[in-house]
Amino acid sequence: MTLNTVKGFLDNTEGKELAKIAKQCSKLGPCLEIGTYCGKSALIIGNVCKKNKNILFTIDHHTGSEEHQLGEEYHDSDLFDQNISCFNSLPEFLRNLRESNLANFVLPLVADSEETSKNWEIPLGMVFIDGGHSRESANADYTNWAPHIVKSGFLLIHDVFPDPKDGGRPPYEIFCKAKESGNFEEISLTRSLAVLKKI
Ligand code: SAH
Ligand code: MG
């Protein structure tokens, strides 16, 4: 298995930036991702974690976001489970994880992001938000997870489009909110991958 064969929504340039930031987190604390899907970004971060003695927690209920559902723009019929009439990216993710030999470094949490955050106590070196794109989902991910990032740790947000012509608003809105909070400074914007550092 090569990363290029893993289904997902991250391009190579974004993948390189993601790996670069993950590398800086090993001394700060574990990494956490919201939005596993089939594991594309998780395996990129996991590879870095393996080299740097760190781990990644990756959260997804695996029933897909709005745009992945049957009949929607990003629906992939390979990931639709006919038996339960439901979108389900978990089998494909587990297959990719097994083939990658990263199972000791990528720890899946098959659960809702908000529910998981309620009991979370581990300080994090990096939080990567790539989950639901609704305003409610994006806001909840930012509000619930940003406080768990340690000082000098990183907040990454995918699908940040400053120009409305390029894509939906909520990820860009939480990116602005993070900067306006005074708790984060902008480090980079690589295509739609935004990197902020906790001050
Ligand atoms: N990071 C992936 C893409 C993630 S797609 C990659 O690199 O390819 C977004 C994912 O977020 C979907 O799999 C969806 O199931 C998940 N998701 C959406 N809302 C969620 C929520 N509230 N809790 C957990 N996962 C959620
Ligand atoms: Mg994305």
Side-chain angles (χ1 to χ4, degrees), residues 7-10 33-42 59-65 67-68 87 89 111-114 128 130-132 137 141:
K7 291 173 187 282
F9 303 101
L10 204 79
E33 166 182 77
I34 302 131
T36 317
Y37 196 63
C38 298
K40 191 161 200 134
S41 48
I59 302 173
D60 202 315
H61 45 46
H62 285 282
T63 54
S65 302
E67 68 272 21
H68 303 135
F87 183 90
S89 52
D112 176 73
S113 168
E114 185 158 17
F128 174 39
D130 193 17
S137 237
D141 285 340

Side-chain angles (χ1 to χ4, degrees), residues 37-116:
Y37 196 63
C38 298
K40 191 161 200 134
S41 48
L43 299 185
I44 291 171
I45 303 169
N47 245 312
V48 177
C49 286
K50 184 176 182 174
K51 290 186 194 132
N52 292 277
K53 300 189 170 54
N54 202 354
I55 53 164
L56 168 73
F57 297 102
T58 181
I59 302 173
D60 202 315
H61 45 46
H62 285 282
T63 54
S65 302
E66 288 90 335
E67 68 272 21
H68 303 135
Q69 303 309 314
L70 193 62
E72 299 299 325
E73 190 179 358
Y74 291 96
H75 180 67
D76 181 338
S77 54
D78 294 348
L79 303 177
F80 191 81
D81 186 336
Q82 300 288 351
N83 296 319
I84 52 172
S85 289
C86 188
F87 183 90
N88 180 16
S89 52
L90 184 60
E92 179 75 13
F93 166 61
L94 290 178
R95 195 170 62 83
N96 290 333
L97 183 60
R98 195 166 48 241
E99 289 181 11
S100 70
N101 285 317
L102 291 173
N104 291 339
F105 307 92
V106 176
L107 310 189
L109 296 166
V110 182
D112 176 73
S113 168
E114 185 158 17
E115 292 308 316
T116 309

Side-chain angles (χ1 to χ4, degrees), residues 168-189:
R169 298 293 76 210
Y172 175 68
E173 286 166 7
I174 59 167
F175 165 68
C176 294
K177 211 167 163 177
K179 286 199 290 182
E180 285 158 14
S181 73
N183 296 325
F184 292 94
E185 61 171 339
E186 182 178 347
I187 300 292
S188 60
L189 181 58

